[in-house]
């Protein structure tokens, strides 16, 4: 399994993109930077997009990729929980902001949307997919992705403290999670459902106690303006836990 980090940040600029992961060129998780990062031909190779939650930095390119598929006469499969479907249908693809790609063209809509149920395994394009709820300010699921050859990665999506239950359901060889801000933003992070380096350390300590191991960790969703501070604090956590914890970046390639 090859995972490419297309967007690793929570703010966009010329040098930072919103969250998107690309797995083996066919499966995407979150759509913060799918059209801004991928050529038209690379977009057409996508077979499915999994969305963790409805926040704009994670769904931003759903309308633009739908338009590209619509104009090409093709369709795209999108998977997520019911609240994400509702948010897209009500606020974005509602015929006012943009076309109703969830319903049109009638009988063969551009977006084939499938509701995923938490804790139920789904076969999606040959991958075994498990959606696992995490704590965030709106309903959010992380996705465990198992490739046809048995490689396992888990991406939490945006997540705050309280991941113990989630850890009980996953056994990844690679963990991709979030650290939005440095330690001095602890109260903000707890209130909004995000992690700081020290909050991540606590969650990883629980992971190790529960599972008896700790996989390599890649963190994404950093605020670019605070990234230097986050990087230094993550290095301290990695040393304390004696584990590989790296900051993701646009173009990063992860091989399993
Ligand atoms: Zn969010
Ligand atoms: Zn976010």
């Amino acid at each position: 399994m090859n995972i490419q980090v297309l967007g690793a940040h929570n703010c966009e600029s010329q040098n930072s993109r919103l969250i998107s992961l690309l797995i083996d060129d066919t499966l995407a998780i979150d759509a913060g930077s799918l059209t801004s990062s991928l050529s038209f031909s690379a977009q057409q190779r996508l077979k499915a997009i999994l969305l963790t939650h409805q926040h704009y930095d994670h769904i931003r390119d759903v309308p633009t990729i739908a338009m590209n598929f619509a104009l090409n006469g093709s369709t795209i499969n999108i998977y997520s929980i019911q609240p994400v479907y509702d948010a897209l249908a009500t606020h974005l693809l509602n015929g006012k902001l943009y076309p109703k790609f969830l319903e049109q063209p009638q009988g063969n809509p551009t977006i084939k949307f499938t509701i995923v149920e938490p804790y139920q395994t789904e076969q999606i394009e040959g991958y075994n997919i498990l959606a696992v709820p995490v704590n965030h300010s709106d309903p959010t699921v992380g996705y465990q992705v198992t490739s046809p050859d048995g490689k396992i990665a888990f991406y939490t999506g945006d997540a705050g403290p309280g991941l113990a239950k989630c850890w009980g359901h996953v056994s990844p060889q690679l963990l991709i999670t979030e650290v939005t801000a440095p330690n001095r933003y602890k109260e903000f992070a707890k209130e909004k459902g995000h992690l700081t380096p020290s909050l991540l350390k606590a969650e990883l300590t629980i992971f190790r106690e529960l599972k008896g191991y700790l996989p390599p960790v890649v963190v994404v969703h950093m605020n670019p303006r605070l990234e230097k501070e986050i990087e230094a604090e993550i290095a301290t956590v990695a040393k304390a836990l004696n584990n590989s914890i790296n900051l993701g970046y646009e173009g990063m390639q992860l091989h399993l």
Side-chain angles (χ1 to χ4, degrees), residues 19 21 23 28-30 50-54 58 79-81 84 116-122 124 128-136 138-146 152-160 162-163 165-167 169-172 174-178 220:
I19 296 294
L21 305 174
I23 299 172
I29 309 184
D30 281 340
L50 314 176
L51 300 174
T52 59
H53 66 304
Q54 70 199 39
H58 299 254
Y79 297 80
S80 193
I81 48 178
V84 175
V116 296
E117 297 296 334
Y119 307 120
Q120 287 183 22
T121 301
E122 293 232 18
I124 299 175
N128 196 302
I129 306 292
L130 179 67
V132 184
V134 296
N135 289 331
H136 191 44
D138 276 291
T140 301
V141 290
Y143 289 103
Q144 177 167 273
V145 178
T146 305
I152 307 173
F154 181 60
Y155 165 52
T156 61
D158 287 2
L163 287 164
K165 187 181 177 194
C166 166
W167 296 153
H169 290 270
V170 300
S171 297
L174 169 69
L175 173 64
I176 303 173
T177 187
E178 73 125 285
V220 295

Short mmCIF file of all heavy atoms in Angstrom, two decimals, residues 19 21 23 28-30 50-54 58 79-81 84 116-122 124 128-136 138-146 152-160 162-163 165-167 169-172 174-178 220:
data_model
loop_
_atom_site.label_atom_id
_atom_site.label_comp_id
_atom_site.label_asym_id
_atom_site.label_seq_id
_atom_site.Cartn_x
_atom_site.Cartn_y
_atom_site.Cartn_z
N ILE A 19 -6.51 18.96 3.95
CA ILE A 19 -6.30 17.53 4.15
C ILE A 19 -6.84 16.66 3.01
O ILE A 19 -8.03 16.73 2.66
CB ILE A 19 -6.99 17.08 5.46
CG1 ILE A 19 -6.34 17.76 6.66
CG2 ILE A 19 -6.95 15.57 5.61
CD1 ILE A 19 -4.93 17.36 6.94
N LEU A 21 -5.60 12.43 1.63
CA LEU A 21 -4.65 11.33 1.50
C LEU A 21 -5.03 10.54 0.26
O LEU A 21 -6.22 10.36 -0.02
CB LEU A 21 -4.72 10.40 2.72
CG LEU A 21 -4.51 11.04 4.09
CD1 LEU A 21 -4.77 10.01 5.19
CD2 LEU A 21 -3.11 11.62 4.22
N ILE A 23 -4.44 6.86 -1.65
CA ILE A 23 -3.95 5.50 -1.44
C ILE A 23 -3.91 4.77 -2.78
O ILE A 23 -4.94 4.62 -3.45
CB ILE A 23 -4.87 4.75 -0.44
CG1 ILE A 23 -4.86 5.49 0.91
CG2 ILE A 23 -4.42 3.30 -0.28
CD1 ILE A 23 -5.85 4.97 1.92
N ALA A 28 -9.14 7.84 -2.10
CA ALA A 28 -8.76 9.06 -1.39
C ALA A 28 -9.49 9.10 -0.05
O ALA A 28 -10.61 8.61 0.07
CB ALA A 28 -9.12 10.28 -2.22
N ILE A 29 -8.82 9.67 0.95
CA ILE A 29 -9.52 9.97 2.19
C ILE A 29 -9.47 11.47 2.40
O ILE A 29 -8.39 12.08 2.40
CB ILE A 29 -8.90 9.26 3.41
CG1 ILE A 29 -8.72 7.77 3.16
CG2 ILE A 29 -9.78 9.48 4.64
CD1 ILE A 29 -8.19 6.99 4.37
N ASP A 30 -10.62 12.05 2.54
CA ASP A 30 -10.86 13.48 2.64
C ASP A 30 -10.50 14.22 1.34
O ASP A 30 -9.70 13.76 0.54
CB ASP A 30 -10.16 14.11 3.86
CG ASP A 30 -10.96 13.84 5.14
OD1 ASP A 30 -12.17 13.54 5.03
OD2 ASP A 30 -10.39 13.95 6.24
N LEU A 50 -13.34 8.62 0.57
CA LEU A 50 -13.92 8.44 1.91
C LEU A 50 -13.81 9.79 2.63
O LEU A 50 -12.74 10.39 2.65
CB LEU A 50 -13.15 7.40 2.72
CG LEU A 50 -12.78 6.07 2.04
CD1 LEU A 50 -11.93 5.22 2.98
CD2 LEU A 50 -14.04 5.32 1.66
N LEU A 51 -14.90 10.24 3.22
CA LEU A 51 -14.88 11.52 3.95
C LEU A 51 -15.03 11.26 5.44
O LEU A 51 -15.93 10.53 5.86
CB LEU A 51 -16.02 12.42 3.46
CG LEU A 51 -15.99 12.78 1.97
CD1 LEU A 51 -17.26 13.55 1.58
CD2 LEU A 51 -14.75 13.61 1.62
N THR A 52 -14.15 11.90 6.24
CA THR A 52 -14.19 11.67 7.69
C THR A 52 -15.29 12.48 8.36
O THR A 52 -15.92 12.04 9.30
CB THR A 52 -12.85 12.04 8.34
OG1 THR A 52 -12.55 13.43 8.08
CG2 THR A 52 -11.72 11.15 7.82
N HIS A 53 -15.49 13.73 7.89
CA HIS A 53 -16.52 14.58 8.48
C HIS A 53 -16.79 15.78 7.59
O HIS A 53 -16.18 15.92 6.53
CB HIS A 53 -16.16 15.00 9.91
CG HIS A 53 -14.96 15.89 10.05
ND1 HIS A 53 -13.71 15.56 9.58
CD2 HIS A 53 -14.81 17.10 10.65
CE1 HIS A 53 -12.85 16.52 9.87
NE2 HIS A 53 -13.49 17.48 10.51
N GLN A 54 -17.73 16.59 8.00
CA GLN A 54 -18.26 17.61 7.10
C GLN A 54 -17.49 18.93 7.08
O GLN A 54 -17.78 19.80 6.27
CB GLN A 54 -19.72 17.92 7.49
CG GLN A 54 -19.83 18.66 8.82
CD GLN A 54 -21.23 18.56 9.42
OE1 GLN A 54 -21.87 17.52 9.35
NE2 GLN A 54 -21.71 19.65 9.97
N HIS A 58 -12.10 19.51 4.87
CA HIS A 58 -12.05 18.09 4.50
C HIS A 58 -12.93 17.76 3.30
O HIS A 58 -12.83 16.67 2.74
CB HIS A 58 -12.44 17.22 5.71
CG HIS A 58 -11.51 17.42 6.87
ND1 HIS A 58 -10.57 16.51 7.24
CD2 HIS A 58 -11.36 18.49 7.70
CE1 HIS A 58 -9.87 16.98 8.28
NE2 HIS A 58 -10.33 18.18 8.58
N TYR A 79 -18.00 7.90 0.03
CA TYR A 79 -18.48 7.17 1.21
C TYR A 79 -18.31 8.04 2.43
O TYR A 79 -17.27 8.65 2.64
CB TYR A 79 -17.68 5.88 1.42
CG TYR A 79 -17.81 4.87 0.30
CD1 TYR A 79 -17.07 5.02 -0.87
CD2 TYR A 79 -18.67 3.79 0.41
CE1 TYR A 79 -17.19 4.09 -1.89
CE2 TYR A 79 -18.79 2.86 -0.62
CZ TYR A 79 -18.05 3.02 -1.76
OH TYR A 79 -18.18 2.11 -2.77
N SER A 80 -19.34 8.10 3.26
CA SER A 80 -19.20 8.76 4.56
C SER A 80 -20.43 8.46 5.40
O SER A 80 -21.31 7.70 5.01
CB SER A 80 -19.00 10.27 4.41
OG SER A 80 -18.57 10.82 5.64
N ILE A 81 -20.46 9.11 6.56
CA ILE A 81 -21.59 8.95 7.48
C ILE A 81 -22.74 9.88 7.06
O ILE A 81 -22.55 10.85 6.32
CB ILE A 81 -21.15 9.25 8.94
CG1 ILE A 81 -20.37 10.57 9.00
CG2 ILE A 81 -20.32 8.10 9.49
CD1 ILE A 81 -19.94 10.99 10.39
N VAL A 84 -22.59 13.82 6.97
CA VAL A 84 -21.80 14.42 5.89
C VAL A 84 -22.64 14.53 4.62
O VAL A 84 -22.62 15.55 3.92
CB VAL A 84 -20.51 13.62 5.65
CG1 VAL A 84 -19.75 14.16 4.45
CG2 VAL A 84 -19.63 13.65 6.91
N VAL A 116 -21.80 4.99 5.22
CA VAL A 116 -21.10 3.92 5.95
C VAL A 116 -21.59 3.90 7.40
O VAL A 116 -21.89 4.94 7.99
CB VAL A 116 -19.56 4.10 5.93
CG1 VAL A 116 -19.03 3.99 4.52
CG2 VAL A 116 -19.13 5.43 6.56
N GLU A 117 -21.68 2.70 7.93
CA GLU A 117 -22.08 2.52 9.33
C GLU A 117 -20.82 2.28 10.16
O GLU A 117 -20.01 1.43 9.83
CB GLU A 117 -23.01 1.32 9.47
CG GLU A 117 -24.33 1.44 8.73
CD GLU A 117 -25.21 2.58 9.25
OE1 GLU A 117 -25.06 2.94 10.43
OE2 GLU A 117 -26.02 3.10 8.47
N PRO A 118 -20.65 3.05 11.26
CA PRO A 118 -19.51 2.83 12.12
C PRO A 118 -19.42 1.38 12.61
O PRO A 118 -20.46 0.74 12.84
CB PRO A 118 -19.76 3.78 13.30
CG PRO A 118 -20.59 4.87 12.71
CD PRO A 118 -21.46 4.20 11.68
N TYR A 119 -18.21 0.90 12.73
CA TYR A 119 -17.87 -0.43 13.26
C TYR A 119 -18.29 -1.57 12.33
O TYR A 119 -18.24 -2.73 12.72
CB TYR A 119 -18.50 -0.66 14.65
CG TYR A 119 -18.18 0.41 15.66
CD1 TYR A 119 -19.20 1.15 16.26
CD2 TYR A 119 -16.87 0.69 16.02
CE1 TYR A 119 -18.91 2.15 17.19
CE2 TYR A 119 -16.58 1.69 16.95
CZ TYR A 119 -17.60 2.41 17.53
OH TYR A 119 -17.32 3.39 18.44
N GLN A 120 -18.73 -1.24 11.10
CA GLN A 120 -19.07 -2.30 10.16
C GLN A 120 -18.10 -2.28 8.99
O GLN A 120 -17.94 -1.26 8.33
CB GLN A 120 -20.51 -2.13 9.65
CG GLN A 120 -21.54 -2.49 10.72
CD GLN A 120 -22.96 -2.39 10.20
OE1 GLN A 120 -23.19 -2.44 9.00
NE2 GLN A 120 -23.90 -2.24 11.13
N THR A 121 -17.50 -3.42 8.75
CA THR A 121 -16.51 -3.51 7.68
C THR A 121 -17.18 -3.46 6.32
O THR A 121 -18.22 -4.06 6.11
CB THR A 121 -15.74 -4.84 7.83
OG1 THR A 121 -15.13 -4.86 9.11
CG2 THR A 121 -14.67 -4.98 6.79
N GLU A 122 -16.58 -2.70 5.41
CA GLU A 122 -17.09 -2.61 4.03
C GLU A 122 -15.97 -2.96 3.07
O GLU A 122 -14.82 -2.62 3.31
CB GLU A 122 -17.51 -1.16 3.72
CG GLU A 122 -18.69 -0.69 4.50
CD GLU A 122 -19.78 -0.12 3.60
OE1 GLU A 122 -19.76 -0.39 2.38
OE2 GLU A 122 -20.62 0.61 4.13
N ILE A 124 -14.49 -1.94 -0.28
CA ILE A 124 -14.55 -0.81 -1.21
C ILE A 124 -13.36 -0.90 -2.15
O ILE A 124 -12.21 -0.78 -1.72
CB ILE A 124 -14.55 0.53 -0.45
CG1 ILE A 124 -15.80 0.62 0.45
CG2 ILE A 124 -14.51 1.70 -1.44
CD1 ILE A 124 -15.85 1.87 1.33
N ASN A 128 -10.50 -3.39 2.47
CA ASN A 128 -11.37 -3.60 3.61
C ASN A 128 -11.39 -2.30 4.41
O ASN A 128 -10.35 -1.87 4.89
CB ASN A 128 -10.78 -4.76 4.43
CG ASN A 128 -11.77 -5.32 5.40
OD1 ASN A 128 -12.26 -4.61 6.24
ND2 ASN A 128 -12.04 -6.60 5.28
N ILE A 129 -12.57 -1.69 4.55
CA ILE A 129 -12.66 -0.37 5.18
C ILE A 129 -13.50 -0.45 6.44
O ILE A 129 -14.62 -0.97 6.43
CB ILE A 129 -13.32 0.65 4.21
CG1 ILE A 129 -12.59 0.69 2.87
CG2 ILE A 129 -13.40 2.03 4.86
CD1 ILE A 129 -11.21 1.26 2.90
N LEU A 130 -12.95 0.08 7.52
CA LEU A 130 -13.68 0.12 8.79
C LEU A 130 -13.75 1.58 9.28
O LEU A 130 -12.70 2.22 9.47
CB LEU A 130 -12.97 -0.74 9.84
CG LEU A 130 -13.60 -0.77 11.23
CD1 LEU A 130 -14.95 -1.47 11.20
CD2 LEU A 130 -12.66 -1.46 12.24
N ALA A 131 -14.97 2.09 9.44
CA ALA A 131 -15.16 3.45 9.96
C ALA A 131 -15.30 3.40 11.48
O ALA A 131 -16.10 2.62 12.00
CB ALA A 131 -16.41 4.07 9.34
N VAL A 132 -14.50 4.21 12.17
CA VAL A 132 -14.50 4.19 13.63
C VAL A 132 -14.70 5.61 14.16
O VAL A 132 -13.91 6.50 13.86
CB VAL A 132 -13.16 3.63 14.17
CG1 VAL A 132 -13.21 3.52 15.69
CG2 VAL A 132 -12.84 2.28 13.54
N PRO A 133 -15.77 5.84 14.95
CA PRO A 133 -16.02 7.19 15.46
C PRO A 133 -14.90 7.70 16.37
O PRO A 133 -14.29 6.93 17.12
CB PRO A 133 -17.32 7.01 16.27
CG PRO A 133 -17.98 5.81 15.67
CD PRO A 133 -16.84 4.91 15.27
N VAL A 134 -14.63 9.01 16.27
CA VAL A 134 -13.66 9.68 17.14
C VAL A 134 -14.31 10.94 17.71
O VAL A 134 -15.36 11.39 17.22
CB VAL A 134 -12.38 10.07 16.36
CG1 VAL A 134 -11.65 8.83 15.86
CG2 VAL A 134 -12.71 11.02 15.21
N ASN A 135 -13.70 11.51 18.75
CA ASN A 135 -14.24 12.73 19.37
C ASN A 135 -13.82 13.96 18.57
O ASN A 135 -12.63 14.24 18.42
CB ASN A 135 -13.70 12.88 20.80
CG ASN A 135 -14.30 11.87 21.74
OD1 ASN A 135 -15.43 11.43 21.54
ND2 ASN A 135 -13.55 11.49 22.75
N HIS A 136 -14.82 14.70 18.09
CA HIS A 136 -14.54 15.96 17.38
C HIS A 136 -15.78 16.82 17.55
O HIS A 136 -16.79 16.36 18.07
CB HIS A 136 -14.21 15.67 15.92
CG HIS A 136 -13.66 16.84 15.16
ND1 HIS A 136 -12.71 17.67 15.68
CD2 HIS A 136 -13.95 17.32 13.92
CE1 HIS A 136 -12.44 18.62 14.79
NE2 HIS A 136 -13.17 18.44 13.71
N ASP A 138 -17.92 17.93 15.41
CA ASP A 138 -19.06 17.41 14.66
C ASP A 138 -18.81 15.92 14.43
O ASP A 138 -17.67 15.47 14.54
CB ASP A 138 -19.20 18.15 13.32
CG ASP A 138 -19.97 19.46 13.48
OD1 ASP A 138 -21.19 19.39 13.74
OD2 ASP A 138 -19.35 20.53 13.38
N PRO A 139 -19.87 15.15 14.12
CA PRO A 139 -19.68 13.70 13.97
C PRO A 139 -18.55 13.38 12.99
O PRO A 139 -18.52 13.91 11.87
CB PRO A 139 -21.03 13.22 13.43
CG PRO A 139 -22.01 14.24 13.92
CD PRO A 139 -21.27 15.55 13.92
N THR A 140 -17.63 12.53 13.43
CA THR A 140 -16.43 12.22 12.65
C THR A 140 -16.09 10.74 12.79
O THR A 140 -16.21 10.18 13.88
CB THR A 140 -15.24 13.07 13.15
OG1 THR A 140 -15.56 14.45 13.03
CG2 THR A 140 -13.97 12.79 12.35
N VAL A 141 -15.67 10.13 11.68
CA VAL A 141 -15.13 8.77 11.74
C VAL A 141 -13.72 8.75 11.17
O VAL A 141 -13.41 9.44 10.19
CB VAL A 141 -16.00 7.75 10.96
CG1 VAL A 141 -17.32 7.51 11.67
CG2 VAL A 141 -16.22 8.18 9.51
N GLY A 142 -12.86 7.97 11.81
CA GLY A 142 -11.58 7.63 11.20
C GLY A 142 -11.78 6.39 10.34
O GLY A 142 -12.80 5.70 10.46
N TYR A 143 -10.82 6.13 9.44
CA TYR A 143 -10.94 4.95 8.58
C TYR A 143 -9.71 4.06 8.72
O TYR A 143 -8.58 4.53 8.57
CB TYR A 143 -11.06 5.37 7.10
CG TYR A 143 -12.39 6.01 6.79
CD1 TYR A 143 -12.50 7.39 6.65
CD2 TYR A 143 -13.54 5.24 6.63
CE1 TYR A 143 -13.72 7.99 6.36
CE2 TYR A 143 -14.77 5.83 6.34
CZ TYR A 143 -14.85 7.20 6.21
OH TYR A 143 -16.05 7.80 5.93
N GLN A 144 -9.98 2.77 9.03
CA GLN A 144 -8.92 1.78 8.92
C GLN A 144 -9.02 1.16 7.53
O GLN A 144 -10.09 0.68 7.14
CB GLN A 144 -9.04 0.70 10.00
CG GLN A 144 -7.98 -0.39 9.84
CD GLN A 144 -7.88 -1.30 11.05
OE1 GLN A 144 -7.15 -1.02 11.99
NE2 GLN A 144 -8.61 -2.40 11.04
N VAL A 145 -7.91 1.20 6.82
CA VAL A 145 -7.85 0.70 5.45
C VAL A 145 -6.92 -0.51 5.42
O VAL A 145 -5.75 -0.41 5.80
CB VAL A 145 -7.32 1.78 4.48
CG1 VAL A 145 -7.22 1.23 3.06
CG2 VAL A 145 -8.20 3.03 4.53
N THR A 146 -7.47 -1.65 4.99
CA THR A 146 -6.66 -2.86 4.83
C THR A 146 -6.56 -3.18 3.34
O THR A 146 -7.58 -3.34 2.67
CB THR A 146 -7.29 -4.05 5.58
OG1 THR A 146 -7.49 -3.68 6.95
CG2 THR A 146 -6.38 -5.27 5.52
N ILE A 152 -2.18 -2.61 6.74
CA ILE A 152 -3.23 -1.90 7.47
C ILE A 152 -2.77 -0.51 7.91
O ILE A 152 -1.75 -0.36 8.60
CB ILE A 152 -3.65 -2.69 8.74
CG1 ILE A 152 -4.02 -4.13 8.39
CG2 ILE A 152 -4.84 -2.00 9.42
CD1 ILE A 152 -4.26 -5.01 9.61
N ALA A 153 -3.53 0.51 7.51
CA ALA A 153 -3.26 1.87 7.97
C ALA A 153 -4.54 2.42 8.60
O ALA A 153 -5.65 2.06 8.19
CB ALA A 153 -2.83 2.75 6.79
N PHE A 154 -4.37 3.29 9.58
CA PHE A 154 -5.54 3.94 10.18
C PHE A 154 -5.32 5.44 10.22
O PHE A 154 -4.28 5.92 10.66
CB PHE A 154 -5.78 3.42 11.60
CG PHE A 154 -6.99 4.04 12.27
CD1 PHE A 154 -8.25 3.90 11.73
CD2 PHE A 154 -6.85 4.77 13.45
CE1 PHE A 154 -9.37 4.48 12.32
CE2 PHE A 154 -7.97 5.36 14.06
CZ PHE A 154 -9.23 5.21 13.49
N TYR A 155 -6.30 6.17 9.74
CA TYR A 155 -6.29 7.64 9.77
C TYR A 155 -7.46 8.08 10.64
O TYR A 155 -8.60 7.74 10.36
CB TYR A 155 -6.40 8.19 8.35
CG TYR A 155 -6.76 9.66 8.26
CD1 TYR A 155 -6.05 10.62 8.97
CD2 TYR A 155 -7.81 10.07 7.45
CE1 TYR A 155 -6.39 11.97 8.88
CE2 TYR A 155 -8.16 11.41 7.36
CZ TYR A 155 -7.44 12.35 8.08
OH TYR A 155 -7.79 13.68 8.00
N THR A 156 -7.17 8.85 11.67
CA THR A 156 -8.23 9.21 12.62
C THR A 156 -9.17 10.30 12.10
O THR A 156 -10.27 10.45 12.62
CB THR A 156 -7.64 9.74 13.95
OG1 THR A 156 -6.87 10.92 13.67
CG2 THR A 156 -6.78 8.70 14.64
N GLY A 157 -8.72 11.08 11.09
CA GLY A 157 -9.44 12.33 10.81
C GLY A 157 -9.16 13.32 11.91
O GLY A 157 -8.24 13.11 12.74
N ASP A 158 -9.92 14.41 11.98
CA ASP A 158 -9.78 15.35 13.10
C ASP A 158 -10.28 14.66 14.36
O ASP A 158 -11.39 14.11 14.37
CB ASP A 158 -10.62 16.61 12.86
CG ASP A 158 -10.04 17.51 11.78
OD1 ASP A 158 -9.01 17.12 11.20
OD2 ASP A 158 -10.62 18.58 11.53
N ALA A 159 -9.47 14.72 15.40
CA ALA A 159 -9.84 13.98 16.61
C ALA A 159 -9.26 14.65 17.84
O ALA A 159 -8.11 15.08 17.84
CB ALA A 159 -9.34 12.54 16.52
N GLY A 160 -10.07 14.71 18.89
CA GLY A 160 -9.59 15.22 20.16
C GLY A 160 -9.28 14.09 21.13
O GLY A 160 -9.33 12.91 20.76
N GLY A 162 -9.51 11.24 24.02
CA GLY A 162 -10.54 10.23 24.28
C GLY A 162 -10.60 9.17 23.20
O GLY A 162 -11.67 8.73 22.79
N LEU A 163 -9.42 8.72 22.72
CA LEU A 163 -9.38 7.78 21.61
C LEU A 163 -9.33 6.31 22.06
O LEU A 163 -9.24 5.41 21.22
CB LEU A 163 -8.18 8.09 20.70
CG LEU A 163 -8.33 9.35 19.84
CD1 LEU A 163 -6.98 9.81 19.29
CD2 LEU A 163 -9.29 9.09 18.68
N LYS A 165 -11.46 4.09 23.14
CA LYS A 165 -12.45 3.18 22.54
C LYS A 165 -12.10 2.90 21.07
O LYS A 165 -12.18 1.77 20.60
CB LYS A 165 -13.85 3.79 22.64
CG LYS A 165 -14.93 2.82 22.20
CD LYS A 165 -16.34 3.39 22.26
CE LYS A 165 -17.35 2.38 21.71
NZ LYS A 165 -18.65 2.98 21.43
N CYS A 166 -11.73 3.98 20.39
CA CYS A 166 -11.34 3.86 18.99
C CYS A 166 -10.16 2.89 18.84
O CYS A 166 -10.17 2.00 17.99
CB CYS A 166 -10.99 5.24 18.46
SG CYS A 166 -10.10 5.26 16.91
N TRP A 167 -9.15 3.05 19.69
CA TRP A 167 -7.96 2.17 19.60
C TRP A 167 -8.36 0.71 19.75
O TRP A 167 -7.73 -0.17 19.16
CB TRP A 167 -6.94 2.51 20.69
CG TRP A 167 -6.28 3.85 20.69
CD1 TRP A 167 -5.79 4.50 21.79
CD2 TRP A 167 -5.97 4.71 19.57
NE1 TRP A 167 -5.21 5.70 21.44
CE2 TRP A 167 -5.31 5.86 20.09
CE3 TRP A 167 -6.18 4.65 18.20
CZ2 TRP A 167 -4.88 6.92 19.29
CZ3 TRP A 167 -5.76 5.70 17.40
CH2 TRP A 167 -5.12 6.81 17.94
N HIS A 169 -10.65 -0.82 18.43
CA HIS A 169 -11.23 -1.38 17.20
C HIS A 169 -10.23 -1.48 16.05
O HIS A 169 -10.58 -1.99 14.99
CB HIS A 169 -12.42 -0.53 16.75
CG HIS A 169 -13.61 -0.66 17.65
ND1 HIS A 169 -14.59 -1.61 17.47
CD2 HIS A 169 -13.95 0.02 18.78
CE1 HIS A 169 -15.50 -1.50 18.43
NE2 HIS A 169 -15.13 -0.51 19.24
N VAL A 170 -9.02 -0.94 16.23
CA VAL A 170 -8.08 -0.89 15.11
C VAL A 170 -6.74 -1.51 15.49
O VAL A 170 -6.38 -1.54 16.67
CB VAL A 170 -7.87 0.57 14.61
CG1 VAL A 170 -9.20 1.15 14.14
CG2 VAL A 170 -7.24 1.45 15.69
N SER A 171 -6.04 -2.00 14.49
CA SER A 171 -4.70 -2.58 14.69
C SER A 171 -3.79 -2.20 13.53
O SER A 171 -3.35 -3.06 12.76
CB SER A 171 -4.80 -4.10 14.80
OG SER A 171 -5.58 -4.46 15.92
N PRO A 172 -3.50 -0.92 13.38
CA PRO A 172 -2.76 -0.47 12.20
C PRO A 172 -1.26 -0.72 12.29
O PRO A 172 -0.68 -0.78 13.37
CB PRO A 172 -3.04 1.05 12.19
CG PRO A 172 -3.21 1.40 13.63
CD PRO A 172 -3.88 0.20 14.27
N LEU A 174 0.44 1.44 10.47
CA LEU A 174 0.79 2.87 10.33
C LEU A 174 -0.40 3.67 10.85
O LEU A 174 -1.54 3.39 10.47
CB LEU A 174 1.05 3.23 8.86
CG LEU A 174 1.18 4.72 8.54
CD1 LEU A 174 2.45 5.30 9.14
CD2 LEU A 174 1.14 4.96 7.03
N LEU A 175 -0.12 4.64 11.71
CA LEU A 175 -1.18 5.49 12.25
C LEU A 175 -0.98 6.92 11.74
O LEU A 175 0.09 7.51 11.91
CB LEU A 175 -1.13 5.49 13.78
CG LEU A 175 -2.06 6.46 14.50
CD1 LEU A 175 -3.53 6.13 14.24
CD2 LEU A 175 -1.78 6.46 16.00
N ILE A 176 -2.02 7.43 11.08
CA ILE A 176 -2.00 8.83 10.65
C ILE A 176 -3.04 9.54 11.51
O ILE A 176 -4.21 9.14 11.54
CB ILE A 176 -2.32 8.97 9.15
CG1 ILE A 176 -1.33 8.14 8.32
CG2 ILE A 176 -2.27 10.44 8.73
CD1 ILE A 176 -1.65 8.08 6.84
N THR A 177 -2.61 10.57 12.22
CA THR A 177 -3.55 11.27 13.08
C THR A 177 -3.29 12.77 12.99
O THR A 177 -2.59 13.21 12.08
CB THR A 177 -3.47 10.74 14.54
OG1 THR A 177 -4.51 11.34 15.30
CG2 THR A 177 -2.12 11.02 15.17
N GLU A 178 -3.90 13.51 13.85
CA GLU A 178 -3.80 14.96 13.73
C GLU A 178 -3.12 15.61 14.93
O GLU A 178 -3.21 15.11 16.06
CB GLU A 178 -5.20 15.55 13.58
CG GLU A 178 -6.02 15.54 14.89
CD GLU A 178 -6.53 16.92 15.27
OE1 GLU A 178 -5.71 17.72 15.75
OE2 GLU A 178 -7.75 17.17 15.10
N VAL A 220 -0.84 15.04 10.77
CA VAL A 220 -1.25 16.01 9.74
C VAL A 220 -2.18 17.03 10.39
O VAL A 220 -2.39 17.00 11.60
CB VAL A 220 -1.96 15.31 8.55
CG1 VAL A 220 -0.99 14.38 7.81
CG2 VAL A 220 -3.18 14.52 9.01
#
